[in-house]
Amino acid sequence: SPDWKIRSYSYPLLISFMFNVFKLLRIDHPSLLINAPKLLHGIGTAITDIMVYRCAKNWFGAMPANFALLCSLLNWFIFYALSRTFTNCVETYFSMIAMYFWPFPNAISSVFNPQHVKHRRCALIFASIACMMRVTNAIVWVPLVARELLLLYQVTTTK
C-alpha cells in the first residue's frame, strides 16, 4: 500500500524500548505489557489537554483558555481517539507541546530575545520528534518555520 512511505519506525521503537526496560527490570508481566502503552497514551492525552489550555492562555488570555480546555475535554473524538495506541496520537502529543513552546512574536525585534530563542529551540525539538513519528506533520511545521526564517532574515538584513 502507498501509505508505507509515510510511516515511521519511531513509534514501534518507543514501545519496544519501554518493553525492553520492563524486561531489564524483570517486571515484564503480561498485564503490564498490555496496559503500559494505554497508560502512556493516557498520560500523553492529559499532557495534550494541559498544553491546549496553556497555548490558549498564552495566545488569547485566561478566559478563552478555559473555554478551549472545556472544548478539548468535551470533544468526543479527542476523548475516543487521542488515548488510543496510534502513531498519530503520539504525533499530536509532541505537536501540541511544540505549539506551546512556539514563539509567536508580536514585534520583529523580539526574534533574538533570549526567551524567544530558548522557546524556539524547545519547539523545534518537539516538532522534529513529531515529524519523526509521522512525516506528514511537516505540513504543520514548514509554514511556521518558514515564517520564522523570514523574520530572522529580515532582522539580520536590516541591521
Side-chain angles (χ1 to χ4, degrees), residues 39-51:
L39 179 64
L40 179 72
H41 281 272
I43 292 168
T45 302
I47 290 171
T48 301
D49 287 336
I50 292 168
M51 292 299 130

PDB file of all heavy atoms in Angstrom, residues 39-51:
ATOM      1  N   LEU A  39      -1.517   3.315  29.366  1.00  0.00           N
ATOM      2  CA  LEU A  39      -1.198   4.310  30.385  1.00  0.00           C
ATOM      3  C   LEU A  39      -0.340   5.423  29.797  1.00  0.00           C
ATOM      4  O   LEU A  39      -0.576   6.607  30.068  1.00  0.00           O
ATOM      5  CB  LEU A  39      -0.469   3.646  31.558  1.00  0.00           C
ATOM      6  CG  LEU A  39      -0.052   4.554  32.700  1.00  0.00           C
ATOM      7  CD1 LEU A  39      -1.271   5.158  33.373  1.00  0.00           C
ATOM      8  CD2 LEU A  39       0.793   3.792  33.696  1.00  0.00           C
ATOM      9  N   LEU A  40       0.624   5.054  28.965  1.00  0.00           N
ATOM     10  CA  LEU A  40       1.468   6.039  28.299  1.00  0.00           C
ATOM     11  C   LEU A  40       0.622   7.000  27.460  1.00  0.00           C
ATOM     12  O   LEU A  40       0.811   8.216  27.505  1.00  0.00           O
ATOM     13  CB  LEU A  40       2.504   5.336  27.418  1.00  0.00           C
ATOM     14  CG  LEU A  40       3.448   6.214  26.628  1.00  0.00           C
ATOM     15  CD1 LEU A  40       4.452   6.869  27.570  1.00  0.00           C
ATOM     16  CD2 LEU A  40       4.174   5.397  25.573  1.00  0.00           C
ATOM     17  N   HIS A  41      -0.342   6.473  26.734  1.00  0.00           N
ATOM     18  CA  HIS A  41      -1.203   7.317  25.906  1.00  0.00           C
ATOM     19  C   HIS A  41      -2.184   8.131  26.749  1.00  0.00           C
ATOM     20  O   HIS A  41      -2.539   9.240  26.368  1.00  0.00           O
ATOM     21  CB  HIS A  41      -1.935   6.478  24.866  1.00  0.00           C
ATOM     22  CG  HIS A  41      -1.067   6.128  23.707  1.00  0.00           C
ATOM     23  ND1 HIS A  41      -0.947   6.940  22.610  1.00  0.00           N
ATOM     24  CD2 HIS A  41      -0.246   5.081  23.488  1.00  0.00           C
ATOM     25  CE1 HIS A  41      -0.101   6.398  21.756  1.00  0.00           C
ATOM     26  NE2 HIS A  41       0.335   5.264  22.261  1.00  0.00           N
ATOM     27  N   GLY A  42      -2.610   7.584  27.873  1.00  0.00           N
ATOM     28  CA  GLY A  42      -3.459   8.362  28.770  1.00  0.00           C
ATOM     29  C   GLY A  42      -2.711   9.562  29.325  1.00  0.00           C
ATOM     30  O   GLY A  42      -3.260  10.681  29.387  1.00  0.00           O
ATOM     31  N   ILE A  43      -1.451   9.359  29.697  1.00  0.00           N
ATOM     32  CA  ILE A  43      -0.617  10.465  30.176  1.00  0.00           C
ATOM     33  C   ILE A  43      -0.388  11.472  29.047  1.00  0.00           C
ATOM     34  O   ILE A  43      -0.458  12.685  29.257  1.00  0.00           O
ATOM     35  CB  ILE A  43       0.713   9.923  30.743  1.00  0.00           C
ATOM     36  CG1 ILE A  43       0.454   9.135  32.027  1.00  0.00           C
ATOM     37  CG2 ILE A  43       1.700  11.053  30.989  1.00  0.00           C
ATOM     38  CD1 ILE A  43       1.648   8.323  32.508  1.00  0.00           C
ATOM     39  N   GLY A  44      -0.125  10.975  27.842  1.00  0.00           N
ATOM     40  CA  GLY A  44       0.058  11.857  26.691  1.00  0.00           C
ATOM     41  C   GLY A  44      -1.183  12.684  26.398  1.00  0.00           C
ATOM     42  O   GLY A  44      -1.094  13.877  26.079  1.00  0.00           O
ATOM     43  N   THR A  45      -2.353  12.079  26.530  1.00  0.00           N
ATOM     44  CA  THR A  45      -3.600  12.803  26.314  1.00  0.00           C
ATOM     45  C   THR A  45      -3.788  13.893  27.364  1.00  0.00           C
ATOM     46  O   THR A  45      -4.198  15.019  27.046  1.00  0.00           O
ATOM     47  CB  THR A  45      -4.796  11.828  26.337  1.00  0.00           C
ATOM     48  OG1 THR A  45      -4.594  10.840  25.328  1.00  0.00           O
ATOM     49  CG2 THR A  45      -6.102  12.534  26.087  1.00  0.00           C
ATOM     50  N   ALA A  46      -3.465  13.573  28.616  1.00  0.00           N
ATOM     51  CA  ALA A  46      -3.578  14.575  29.684  1.00  0.00           C
ATOM     52  C   ALA A  46      -2.614  15.734  29.444  1.00  0.00           C
ATOM     53  O   ALA A  46      -2.980  16.910  29.617  1.00  0.00           O
ATOM     54  CB  ALA A  46      -3.301  13.925  31.035  1.00  0.00           C
ATOM     55  N   ILE A  47      -1.405  15.418  29.032  1.00  0.00           N
ATOM     56  CA  ILE A  47      -0.428  16.478  28.729  1.00  0.00           C
ATOM     57  C   ILE A  47      -0.914  17.334  27.567  1.00  0.00           C
ATOM     58  O   ILE A  47      -0.768  18.560  27.580  1.00  0.00           O
ATOM     59  CB  ILE A  47       0.958  15.860  28.439  1.00  0.00           C
ATOM     60  CG1 ILE A  47       1.547  15.282  29.730  1.00  0.00           C
ATOM     61  CG2 ILE A  47       1.904  16.874  27.815  1.00  0.00           C
ATOM     62  CD1 ILE A  47       2.796  14.456  29.533  1.00  0.00           C
ATOM     63  N   THR A  48      -1.523  16.707  26.573  1.00  0.00           N
ATOM     64  CA  THR A  48      -2.061  17.460  25.440  1.00  0.00           C
ATOM     65  C   THR A  48      -3.163  18.415  25.886  1.00  0.00           C
ATOM     66  O   THR A  48      -3.207  19.569  25.443  1.00  0.00           O
ATOM     67  CB  THR A  48      -2.585  16.493  24.361  1.00  0.00           C
ATOM     68  OG1 THR A  48      -1.508  15.658  23.938  1.00  0.00           O
ATOM     69  CG2 THR A  48      -3.134  17.240  23.169  1.00  0.00           C
ATOM     70  N   ASP A  49      -4.027  17.967  26.776  1.00  0.00           N
ATOM     71  CA  ASP A  49      -5.077  18.850  27.291  1.00  0.00           C
ATOM     72  C   ASP A  49      -4.475  20.025  28.056  1.00  0.00           C
ATOM     73  O   ASP A  49      -4.931  21.167  27.922  1.00  0.00           O
ATOM     74  CB  ASP A  49      -6.039  18.081  28.201  1.00  0.00           C
ATOM     75  CG  ASP A  49      -6.963  17.153  27.428  1.00  0.00           C
ATOM     76  OD1 ASP A  49      -7.199  17.421  26.231  1.00  0.00           O
ATOM     77  OD2 ASP A  49      -7.437  16.168  28.016  1.00  0.00           O
ATOM     78  N   ILE A  50      -3.454  19.768  28.831  1.00  0.00           N
ATOM     79  CA  ILE A  50      -2.774  20.848  29.560  1.00  0.00           C
ATOM     80  C   ILE A  50      -2.148  21.834  28.573  1.00  0.00           C
ATOM     81  O   ILE A  50      -2.223  23.054  28.755  1.00  0.00           O
ATOM     82  CB  ILE A  50      -1.720  20.272  30.520  1.00  0.00           C
ATOM     83  CG1 ILE A  50      -2.406  19.512  31.653  1.00  0.00           C
ATOM     84  CG2 ILE A  50      -0.818  21.368  31.081  1.00  0.00           C
ATOM     85  CD1 ILE A  50      -1.461  18.660  32.483  1.00  0.00           C
ATOM     86  N   MET A  51      -1.536  21.321  27.516  1.00  0.00           N
ATOM     87  CA  MET A  51      -0.905  22.192  26.525  1.00  0.00           C
ATOM     88  C   MET A  51      -1.936  23.007  25.750  1.00  0.00           C
ATOM     89  O   MET A  51      -1.666  24.158  25.381  1.00  0.00           O
ATOM     90  CB  MET A  51      -0.043  21.379  25.559  1.00  0.00           C
ATOM     91  CG  MET A  51       1.177  20.765  26.184  1.00  0.00           C
ATOM     92  SD  MET A  51       2.280  22.005  26.857  1.00  0.00           S
ATOM     93  CE  MET A  51       2.561  21.355  28.472  1.00  0.00           C
TER      94      MET A  51
END
